Amino acid sequence: MIPALIPAPRVLAVHDGVFELTADTALSGPECHATRFLAALLRRAAGHAPPSAREGALALTLDGPADLGEEGYRLDVTAEAVRLRARTEEGLFRGVQTLRQLLPAEIESPAPLPGPWRVPCVSITDTPRFRWRGVMLDVARHFFDVAAVKRFIDRAVPYKFNILHLHLTDDQGWRLEIPSHPRLTEHGATSQVGEGDGGHFTRADFTEIVAYAAAHHMTVVPEIDLPGHTQAAMASYPHLAPEGVTPELYRGIDVGFSQLAIHNPATYDFLDAVFTELAALTPGPYLHVGGDEALQTTAEDYAAFMTRTLPLAVRHDRTVVAWQEAAAAPDLPEGTHLQYWRPTHEPVPEPLAAAASRGLPLIMSPANRAYLDMKYDDDTALGLRWAGTVGVRQSYEWDPESLVPGARVVGVEAPLWTETLTTPDDLDHMLYPRLPGLAEVAWSPAPKDWPSYVTRLRAHTARWDAAGITSYHRSPELED
């Protein structure tokens, strides 16, 4: 029987027999997140920590061959032992997630269970297709606190995502404390879509999120959306607004009506202060500057804004990430990552095609495939449908490298916008069951095989049940 692994590994061979974990099964491995994660996983489900040993029957080692790269691993399970090899700690961590899926679904239980804990005998060699495998959480339309963001990370970890993109600012709220500009959170964070008081992350909160993500080998990519989507910032500091008049806080879901004062030098002093704070709080190499839906900004002003703003990010030794509209900006810094987000039935904009032809890396997030806030079908209570409804199969059956001819695609990202989402259970409902398929699009070799995939995905519902994830969407596409 083929194990129900998601994402599918590059090479999988199944052998006769099983390895059985018992209370005496010893764990050996380097002092790293992967070893600690596996020990904690077994302790939580089985009720006891595996004893440690110099050479355990459950062995993690950093002696993998060079061709495994930074995130690849080799997993060999026999009746006598489990050996997981990688070149890096990150590779070991990805392999631990595969071992986790080879164990019974009950391994996800938050309370101890009696087992048995059997692992089928397999040989796996695995490396990712793309280096950028992201999930995005919008905390601006509705605010989600530290505990909710950690839970969001936990949902992504089993499926080998390595990027957490946080959409921190928008018209509806500014969510990160900036000490030099306290009114951003004293005032600009007090609203959100509809009712409620909004909220924000303190510097300590954000540091806690970054550390938790790092412990799960995820890089945080913070986004300050510019020059549109800026009502909360301008409501806090009116000199950032074109007319210098304080706008009202905004609680709706319309887009494209706001823009910063592009010709005011103080705007760039403000952005430099914000980027300085982000660079201090976020050790990862990326800074997302938004750039989308600046509908009130002329092409000339947009170019002028980007010409002055992007060097501020580069000055802090950050690689710029921006939504696809930024392709129209002149002289994009070397290595700028552009994020494709419009539905695939629309023609590729000429500036994006031109940027791709110059070799700029693209992150693929087409709304009618990868946007997790789109309704599953016409009966879905939550979500939007401006890009159409997006079922489980539609989010799975697409090829990121076919969308922009000649593009250098570096990855896939699944954004979750929160105009209609207010609770962590709402997030779970939109994440599952689509998120695993997007993980496979990002990790596994093409082409994709829906009959094989849906069989494996059905098995994962037992894992969500065991973990206490009760609000996932019961898609008819998963029925036998």
Side-chain angles (χ1 to χ4, degrees):
M1 181 177 176
I2 302 299
L5 298 176
I6 302 174
R10 188 169 295 274
V11 179
L12 166 66
V14 181
H15 312 299
D16 292 337
V18 297
F19 174 86
E20 184 161 351
L21 281 160
T22 70
D24 298 323
T25 302
L27 171 63
S28 61
E31 180 59 30
C32 67
H33 292 311
T35 307
R36 290 191 291 271
F37 185 95
L38 180 56
L41 185 72
L42 296 173
R43 182 189 306 113
R44 183 188 70 189
H48 56 81
S52 58
R54 181 181 295 272
E55 295 184 8
L58 188 56
L60 281 59
T61 59
L62 288 169
D63 61 352
D67 60 1
L68 291 178
E70 292 299 307
E71 293 189 90
Y73 62 92
R74 169 87 190 201
L75 178 61
D76 292 291
V77 181
T78 68
E80 292 75 34
V82 174
R83 188 179 187 195
L84 175 61
R85 304 169 63 199
R87 290 184 61 245
T88 68
E89 294 180 7
E90 189 172 6
L92 284 181
F93 191 79
R94 305 298 173 218
V96 164
Q97 304 314 314
T98 297
L99 177 57
R100 175 183 186 176
Q101 292 187 17
L102 289 169
L103 285 158
E106 289 74 19
I107 195 68
E108 305 297 337
S109 171
L113 295 171
W117 305 108
R118 296 186 178 123
V119 184
C121 293
V122 296
S123 298
I124 294 173
T125 302
D126 203 9
T127 56
R129 180 182 181 187
F130 295 115
R131 64 171 173 82
W132 186 294
R133 305 179 309 281
V135 286
M136 189 213 82
L137 179 61
D138 167 21
V139 296
R141 270 48 178 271
H142 281 103
F143 179 66
F144 289 86
D145 63 14
V146 172
V149 176
K150 287 183 173 180
R151 173 168 147 162
F152 186 80
I153 292 170
D154 291 340
R155 301 301 192 243
V157 163
Y159 299 106
K160 301 184 174 70
F161 287 94
N162 66 348
I163 295 288
L164 173 64
H165 171 182
L166 289 175
H167 184 80
L168 294 168
T169 69
D170 215 298
D171 293 314
Q172 297 84 355
W174 184 285
R175 305 304 180 202
L176 179 63
E177 176 189 20
I178 304 295
S180 62
H181 291 75
R183 275 187 59 79
L184 290 171
T185 47
E186 290 173 357
H187 182 65
T190 60
S191 56
Q192 60 182 8
V193 169
E195 301 299 322
D197 298 329
H200 72 277
F201 301 125
T202 66
R203 297 174 81 254
D205 289 338
F206 195 72
T207 297
E208 184 177 347
I209 289 169
V210 169
Y212 191 80
H216 295 80
H217 289 280
M218 295 185 75
T219 298
V220 172
V221 177
E223 181 188 354
I224 306 297
D225 204 351
L226 307 163
H229 293 278
T230 50
Q231 186 87 348
M234 295 186 298
S236 303
Y237 290 96
H239 70 272
L240 299 175
E243 305 302 326
V245 177
T246 307
E248 297 294 323
L249 292 172
Y250 182 67
R251 291 180 175 272
I253 64 171
D254 290 338
V255 299
F257 58 86
S258 60
Q259 71 165 352
L260 292 175
I262 287 170
H263 299 291
N264 185 349
T267 294
Y268 304 97
D269 293 337
F270 165 74
L271 294 179
D272 191 37
V274 170
F275 293 171
T276 298
E277 184 68 13
L278 279 176
L281 291 175
T282 315
Y286 305 105
L287 173 60
H288 203 305
V289 299
D292 62 316
E293 296 177 325
L295 304 183
Q296 301 303 313
T297 308
T298 66
E300 182 180 7
D301 280 355
Y302 188 88
F305 177 83
M306 287 298 182
T307 296
R308 296 190 66 174
T309 297
L310 300 187
L312 298 177
V314 174
R315 187 170 76 82
H316 292 292
D317 197 27
R318 292 300 184 268
T319 295
V320 172
V321 187
W323 299 105
Q324 67 182 60
E325 289 94 325
D331 302 320
L332 289 173
E334 183 178 354
T336 296
H337 288 40
L338 296 172
Q339 190 162 358
Y340 176 107
W341 67 275
R342 297 297 301 178
T344 57
H345 54 73
E346 296 183 0
V348 176
E350 191 281 328
L352 183 63
S357 70
R358 299 196 304 271
L360 286 180
L362 300 190
I363 302 160
M364 309 311 285
S365 303
N368 62 329
R369 300 288 188 173
Y371 268 34
L372 293 167
D373 58 301
M374 292 296 105
K375 292 177 178 289
Y376 289 94
D377 52 39
D378 291 337
D379 296 325
T380 307
L382 298 171
L384 302 174
R385 55 171 305 156
W386 62 263
T389 58
V390 180
V392 180
R393 185 168 186 170
Q394 183 170 324
S395 67
Y396 176 75
E397 282 191 326
W398 62 287
D399 181 4
E401 293 187 301
S402 71
L403 304 183
V404 180
R408 180 161 71 95
V409 175
V410 296
V412 173
E413 185 173 291
L416 183 54
W417 304 97
T418 61
E419 287 94 336
T420 69
L421 313 179
T422 62
T423 70
D425 280 350
D426 289 348
L427 302 183
D428 283 348
H429 185 76
M430 305 309 278
L431 286 172
Y432 290 149
R434 287 180 293 199
L435 188 68
L438 290 162
E440 184 150 309
V441 170
W443 178 281
S444 304
K448 302 296 179 281
D449 179 356
W450 170 255
S452 165
Y453 173 70
V454 74
T455 299
R456 287 180 282 126
L457 184 60
R458 290 183 188 117
H460 278 241
T461 61
R463 295 184 174 275
W464 308 335
D465 291 337
I469 301 172
T470 59
S471 61
Y472 65 86
H473 174 62
R474 270 66 173 178
S475 172
E477 294 177 274
L478 271 63
E479 295 176 2
D480 290 320

